[in-house]
Amino acid sequence: MSTRRKKSEIAPARANHPQHPVAEYAISTGNYHEDLLHDLFHVVRIIDPDHAPVLVDMIRNHTSLDEVRAYLTRALADANPPTPDQQDVLHRLESLRRGIEVESEPPRFRPQIMDIRYLCSSAPYRVPAKPWTSVTDDDDLVSHLVSLYLVWDYPFFAFFDSKTFVKHMAMGNTESDFCSPFLVNALLANACYYSQYTEAYTVPGDVRTKGADFLAEAERHLQSHQFEKGGDIRLASLQAHLLLYERYSLSGHNDWGYTMLHRATEMGESLGIINKKTDLRLSVSQMSDDMIVSIKRTAWGLFQVDTVVHTNFLRPSRVRSVSVEPIDRNGTNTSDMWTPYPVSTAFRPSYLSLYFDEACKLSFIARDISWNLSRTDRMGAEPDHRKQDLYDQLRAWESNLPECFDPATRPAPHLLLLRMRYHTLVINLCCDRFGVRPLLSERDERTPRDSKGFSAGEIALSSARTIAALTQQLRAEYGMEHAHQFAMYSVNLALFTLLDQDDFDILDRDFLTLTSAMSIIACRSQLGRNLFHLFKLSVRARNQGERVQQSDEVPPGIKELFQPDSMAHVPDRWDKYAEELTKIDGEDSYVDHLEDDPQSSAASGLHEMLQRYERLSVGKEDEWRDRRPRGATHF
C-alpha cells in the first residue's frame, strides 16, 4: 500500500462490507505511478539507506515497475508492519488486483524516442535500418523492433534461423537468400505488436495502425515477389509469407491470413521441402551451413504453423509430411540464454532446439487430430475410439517431456506456451464434430460403454483449468503485455470451455483469472478487441450478472464487464471494441445490428466461438480459392 494513504483506509470496514472501501483503492490504477514515485522517494529518504543502492540497480537493469512496486511494498511493510488482520486484507486485495482485474486499454504508449535510445543500449540484437526499409533510417528503432520480435514471437514457431537472419541483415546485402527487404518489413510489421512506442503506430495509440507503415512496404514487395515460381522461389520470400500470415490474422484482413499461409505451403511444395514422397538431400558439398539450417528451420517451422492453425479451427492440415531431416534437438548450446527484453535482464535457458524438436513431435499428433476431427464420414473406427487413441498419444508426449520443461523450473515463455498448446489440443480433441453438442461426457448416451473411460467433458475442463494456471504463471513471470498471439487463442479457448459447462459459475476463480489475462492480451490488437466483445456478450447471455454485482470480492472492472440484464443497455468502456466489427455472415454493420438485439452476437458454445474466431482472424478456408477471379494471381 502507498504511504500516501491513511491507516484508516487499510483497516477493515464495517462487518457487512469488510473489504469494499479497500478494494476500490487496491485495484484502482488511477494513482499507481504517482504513488510509486512517492513511495520511492519515501524509502530512499527515510527508511533504511541500504535500500537506495538496491533501487538504483533495479532502475539501471530495467526492472519492471511491478517488481519495483513489490520491493517498495516489502520495504514499507518491514518499517511499519501491519496488524495480522490488516496483513490478511492487504494480501487478499493485492491478489485480487493482480489476478482478476480487467483492462480496456493497452499500456500507455511511450511518446519519447529518447526512451528507445536508452533501451537500445541493452537490445540483444543490433541491426541497421538501411538498406532494408524506407519507413525509417533509425538503427535504434529497427534494432529495438527486431529484438522484440526475436525475443517474444520468434521462439514459438522459429520458421527461420535467427542467427543466420541477423548475420545477413547486419551485412546489408539485399540479394541474400536469408534476408530481404520483403522479409525485414514483414518482420518489423509484426514486431510493432509488441511495442508501445509512438514509432510503432501510424496513429499513436490506435492499435489498428500498429506497424501499418512497415506492412504497406512489405505489401509493395509482395507484389514484386508474386511471380517467384519453382526453383526461383527465395527462402526469405516463403518466410515473409508466414510473417504476413501472422500479421493478417491479428488484424482480420478478410481472408488474407489463410491466403498467405496457403501460398507459403505452395512455395514449400515447389521447393520440395514438404509433401514429397522422397526426402530432399541437403549436402554440405552443394550448399552452405547457413542454407542447410535455414531450409530445415523453414520446412519444420511451416509444418508447425500449418498444424497449429488448422487444428485450432478443427480443419485438416495441408502439410502432410516434411521432406528434410529435422533440426538436431541438441543443436542449441545449453548455455544459450533467453532474455525478456526490455522487461528485465533476468536470464532463462532457451533450450530452443530441444523445444523445437518437441514441438515438431507434437505437430505430428496435431496433424492426425486435425484429419480425424475434420472427417464427416463414419467409416472405420468410431469417433470416440479414435479420440481415445489420439488422447493416449498426447499423454505419452507430455509424460516424456524433459524435466527442464517443468513449469516449476520457471522456464522461458515458449516452454510454457508449449504446454498450453498441448492442452488446447486436448480441448480441441474433445470438441465433437460428429454430434449436436460440442462436448461429450460420460453421461452422454452416445459415448460407447467400452470407450476405456474417455470422458471428454471432464478432460477438457481439466485442461482449461491447467491453462488458467499456466496463464497465471506466464503473467506473474513475464506479464501479458508481450504474450505471443497463441496465448490469446489458448486463453479464449479455456474461457469458453468453462463457459460451456452446465454448472458454469461466473465467480469461478480460474474463469476470472483467464478473463483478466484475456483483457490484457485483447486490447493490443483489433482481433483481440473483437473477440473480447463477443466473449463479453456470451458471458452476459448466461444471466449471472447479478451474482457479480452482489460479490464484495469482485473488482469494479469485472462488475462493469459482466453487467446484469437490467443494465444491458448501459454503455461500458469495452463498447468501442465493436467498432468496425461486421457481422460474421453478412455485410450489415455489427453495431447497427447490436442496437436491435444486444445478445444476438453471443456465441452459443465452444464450436460456434471457434467458427467466429476463424472468420475474424484468418478467414474462411473453404472460400479462399473461390474468392479470386479466374486468371488472377494469388495477390
Side-chain angles (χ1 to χ4, degrees):
M1 296 293 291
S2 168
T3 56
R4 300 176 67 242
R5 301 290 161 181
K6 297 178 181 179
K7 289 186 178 181
S8 61
E9 291 182 331
I10 64 172
R14 292 178 298 177
N16 57 339
H17 294 290
Q19 300 167 25
H20 189 67
V22 191
E24 290 292 337
Y25 170 69
I27 57 182
S28 169
T29 58
N31 297 318
Y32 179 82
H33 295 91
E34 182 181 347
D35 291 343
L36 179 68
L37 184 61
H38 182 278
D39 288 350
L40 178 63
F41 286 165
H42 182 74
V43 168
V44 171
R45 289 171 176 168
I46 301 173
I47 312 298
D48 189 339
D50 290 342
H51 290 301
V54 176
L55 287 165
V56 170
D57 286 341
M58 294 177 76
I59 294 171
R60 286 175 174 169
N61 292 325
H62 311 297
T63 303
S64 69
L65 290 182
D66 280 348
E67 291 178 274
V68 175
R69 171 73 272 172
Y71 181 87
L72 293 174
T73 300
R74 289 194 299 269
L76 292 169
D78 291 341
N80 299 291
T83 66
D85 288 343
Q86 291 174 338
Q87 184 66 46
D88 180 63
V89 170
L90 293 176
H91 177 73
R92 292 184 63 192
L93 292 174
E94 183 66 11
S95 296
L96 281 172
R97 187 185 71 80
R98 290 179 177 275
I100 63 174
E101 182 57 303
V102 289
E103 298 185 12
S104 59
E105 295 292 342
R108 295 179 181 178
F109 61 88
R110 306 292 294 276
Q112 297 180 359
I113 198 168
M114 285 297 293
D115 291 331
I116 292 182
R117 301 275 184 265
Y118 181 68
L119 275 178
C120 282
S121 64
S122 61
Y125 301 96
R126 292 291 301 174
V127 287
K130 299 297 182 182
W132 304 109
T133 181
S134 63
V135 174
T136 179
D137 58 2
D138 190 333
D139 293 347
D140 287 333
L141 173 60
V142 171
S143 296
H144 169 65
L145 292 175
V146 169
S147 294
L148 283 177
Y149 180 84
L150 293 179
V151 167
W152 297 104
D153 195 304
Y154 169 79
F156 187 72
F157 287 127
F159 49 75
F160 62 88
D161 187 68
S162 60
K163 292 181 180 179
T164 301
F165 168 79
V166 170
K167 179 174 71 174
H168 285 264
M169 186 175 179
M171 291 168 60
N173 178 15
T174 59
E175 299 302 318
S176 168
D177 289 321
F178 313 106
C179 189
S180 69
F182 182 21
L183 176 60
V184 169
N185 281 279
L187 185 150
L188 294 174
N190 276 12
C192 289
Y193 174 67
Y194 299 96
S195 179
Q196 295 305 322
Y197 288 89
T198 53
E199 290 77 14
Y201 297 81
T202 300
V203 179
D206 185 350
V207 296
R208 294 169 297 183
T209 68
K210 266 193 170 186
D213 291 336
F214 293 114
L215 177 61
E217 182 156 340
E219 289 174 333
R220 288 193 291 272
H221 289 294
L222 173 64
Q223 296 297 322
S224 63
H225 285 271
Q226 64 178 295
F227 299 108
E228 292 182 6
K229 303 292 182 182
D232 293 331
I233 294 175
R234 296 175 65 184
L235 207 58
S237 298
L238 192 162
Q239 296 161 355
H241 277 79
L242 289 175
L243 285 165
L244 287 182
Y245 143 72
E246 287 192 287
R247 180 61 173 77
Y248 287 135
S249 65
L250 276 174
S251 54
H253 279 65
N254 296 319
D255 295 343
W256 284 106
Y258 270 139
T259 301
M260 292 297 105
L261 177 57
H262 295 151
R263 173 58 177 151
T265 302
E266 292 174 352
M267 296 171 80
E269 290 174 338
S270 296
L271 290 173
I273 60 177
I274 58 169
N275 295 341
K276 296 296 181 182
K277 294 182 179 180
T278 57
D279 289 346
L280 180 67
R281 296 187 61 184
L282 305 178
S283 173
V284 293
S285 63
Q286 297 177 337
M287 57 186 68
S288 66
D289 290 338
D290 285 348
M291 179 61 76
I292 291 176
V293 70
S294 296
I295 290 175
K296 289 181 178 180
R297 284 278 183 208
T298 303
W300 288 96
L302 174 58
F303 178 48
Q304 290 202 72
V305 175
D306 184 77
T307 54
V308 167
V309 175
H310 287 96
T311 311
N312 279 355
F313 302 118
L314 310 182
R315 294 188 179 275
S317 298
R318 292 185 170 227
V319 179
R320 302 181 302 276
S321 61
V322 181
S323 307
V324 298
E325 293 181 349
I327 293 286
D328 181 5
R329 66 184 278 118
N330 299 313
T332 302
N333 194 312
T334 55
S335 63
D336 287 353
M337 307 299 285
W338 176 89
T339 307
Y341 169 85
V343 177
S344 76
T345 57
F347 294 97
R348 298 283 194 280
S350 70
Y351 300 118
L352 185 58
S353 292
L354 195 59
Y355 159 86
F356 193 77
D357 184 69
E358 292 294 343
C360 289
K361 290 179 180 178
L362 186 60
S363 292
F364 279 111
I365 305 175
R367 176 201 61 186
D368 294 342
I369 289 175
S370 74
W371 277 100
N372 277 281
L373 291 186
S374 60
R375 289 178 57 183
T376 57
D377 64 274
R378 288 183 172 272
M379 298 178 62
E382 285 296 317
D384 286 302
H385 291 165
R386 295 205 301 269
K387 287 183 178 182
Q388 179 67 54
D389 179 62
L390 291 166
Y391 178 63
D392 290 342
Q393 292 182 44
L394 285 172
R395 290 288 302 275
W397 174 87
E398 184 195 30
S399 65
N400 290 321
L401 284 175
E403 291 184 5
C404 58
F405 284 27
D406 191 328
T409 64
R410 301 175 64 190
H414 51 279
L415 301 180
L416 294 176
L417 287 171
L418 183 62
R419 285 189 179 271
M420 293 173 74
R421 183 184 169 196
Y422 160 79
H423 286 286
T424 62
L425 284 171
V426 170
I427 295 174
N428 287 331
L429 186 60
C430 296
C431 185
D432 180 28
R433 291 185 68 111
F434 298 94
V436 177
R437 290 175 59 83
L439 293 177
L440 294 173
S441 70
E442 288 181 332
R443 296 184 298 274
D444 197 313
E445 61 183 10
R446 291 171 296 152
T447 305
R449 294 182 179 180
D450 60 345
S451 62
K452 297 188 289 186
F454 185 87
S455 174
E458 294 178 4
I459 292 171
L461 181 60
S462 176
S463 283
R465 295 196 182 283
T466 304
I467 289 174
L470 291 168
T471 300
Q472 188 69 1
Q473 179 174 351
L474 188 67
R475 182 176 183 177
E477 295 281 350
Y478 310 108
M480 300 304 292
E481 291 78 8
H482 295 94
H484 189 276
Q485 63 167 296
F486 180 79
M488 178 164 63
Y489 174 87
S490 181
V491 169
N492 191 63
L493 187 72
L495 280 168
F496 274 87
T497 302
L498 294 172
L499 190 60
D500 253 7
Q501 303 303 308
D502 292 336
D503 58 350
F504 166 69
D505 179 7
I506 198 170
L507 299 179
D508 183 298
R509 178 69 191 207
D510 288 334
F511 180 78
L512 295 179
T513 296
L514 289 166
T515 298
S516 177
M518 184 66 180
S519 74
I520 300 172
I521 304 172
C523 64
R524 292 162 49 199
S525 67
Q526 188 62 36
L527 170 65
R529 293 180 174 215
N530 293 164
L531 290 172
F532 197 74
H533 187 77
L534 297 176
F535 164 70
K536 178 186 75 173
L537 296 182
S538 300
V539 177
R540 290 183 181 181
R542 294 301 298 264
N543 299 319
Q544 294 193 25
E546 291 293 348
R547 297 185 61 224
V548 174
Q549 305 304 315
Q550 295 168 5
S551 173
D552 290 330
E553 295 191 357
V554 173
I558 291 288
K559 293 185 177 183
E560 181 184 1
L561 179 65
F562 299 141
Q563 296 174 358
D565 287 344
S566 59
M567 301 172 61
H569 294 281
V570 177
D572 62 56
R573 51 194 158 117
W574 293 276
D575 283 344
K576 61 180 178 293
Y577 282 14
E579 293 176 2
E580 297 189 5
L581 180 62
T582 57
K583 289 176 62 178
I584 303 300
D585 296 312
E587 300 298 329
D588 296 337
S589 167
Y590 175 85
V591 178
D592 292 340
H593 184 71
L594 183 62
E595 292 177 354
D596 298 330
D597 184 1
Q599 303 300 340
S600 62
S601 290
S604 61
L606 183 63
H607 189 246
E608 183 179 346
M609 180 279 294
L610 289 176
Q611 290 178 321
R612 295 188 178 197
Y613 197 133
E614 178 186 35
R615 186 67 184 90
L616 287 168
S617 58
V618 289
K620 285 188 175 180
E621 184 171 50
D622 292 341
E623 298 179 359
W624 84 277
R625 291 181 183 275
D626 298 335
R627 291 176 70 252
R628 292 175 292 149
R630 288 187 178 182
T633 66
H634 288 282
F635 314 104

